[in-house]
Amino acid sequence: MLHDRVLVKTSAEEGERRSSGGILIPATAQVSKRLVWAEVLAIGNHVRAVELGDKVLFSPDDRHEVEISGESYLLLRERDIHAVAAKRVDTNTGLYL
């Protein structure tokens, strides 16, 4: 990975989901402003706020798809990440979920 790029993979659960009332919503009926969680697999040398294995929240509009060895991954810029879910707590790097 180069510069501020982050390679992530979304889980298979991101397709179909259920509403709070129990209605099944298919993957094809996605809301355009819905943010997506993914796991970080690789980071560039200028990435500061994300580490390998973190879960990141991003907009599906800010992504680029890439296929490596038959698997589909997403390539993001660090600035396109809205939130990071990690077990560590760093006081000087921002808010972690």
Side-chain angles (χ1 to χ4, degrees):
M1 301 304 304
L2 296 175
H3 310 296
D4 67 339
R5 300 300 192 243
V6 179
L7 185 72
V8 299
K9 182 160 181 81
T10 57
S11 66
E13 300 171 357
E14 291 297 329
E16 294 181 348
R17 62 188 196 282
R18 291 200 177 268
S19 70
S20 59
I23 299 172
L24 181 66
I25 302 170
T28 56
Q30 292 187 359
V31 178
S32 63
K33 294 296 181 183
R34 184 169 185 253
L35 298 178
V36 178
W37 286 99
E39 182 181 357
V40 176
L41 301 177
I43 58 173
N45 56 350
H46 293 291
V47 175
R48 295 179 289 161
V50 178
E51 292 181 6
L52 297 177
D54 287 350
K55 297 277 186 190
V56 294
L57 185 67
F58 66 96
S59 172
D61 298 334
D62 299 331
R63 66 184 177 146
H64 298 283
E65 293 184 28
V66 62
E67 186 175 321
I68 303 171
S69 301
E71 298 252 356
S72 182
Y73 300 95
L74 302 175
L75 189 60
L76 307 170
R77 290 188 200 115
E78 184 181 20
R79 69 178 182 195
D80 294 333
I81 295 172
H82 296 281
V84 177
K87 293 185 181 197
R88 68 184 181 282
V89 178
D90 295 333
T91 58
N92 60 354
T93 59
L95 176 65
Y96 289 91
L97 302 175

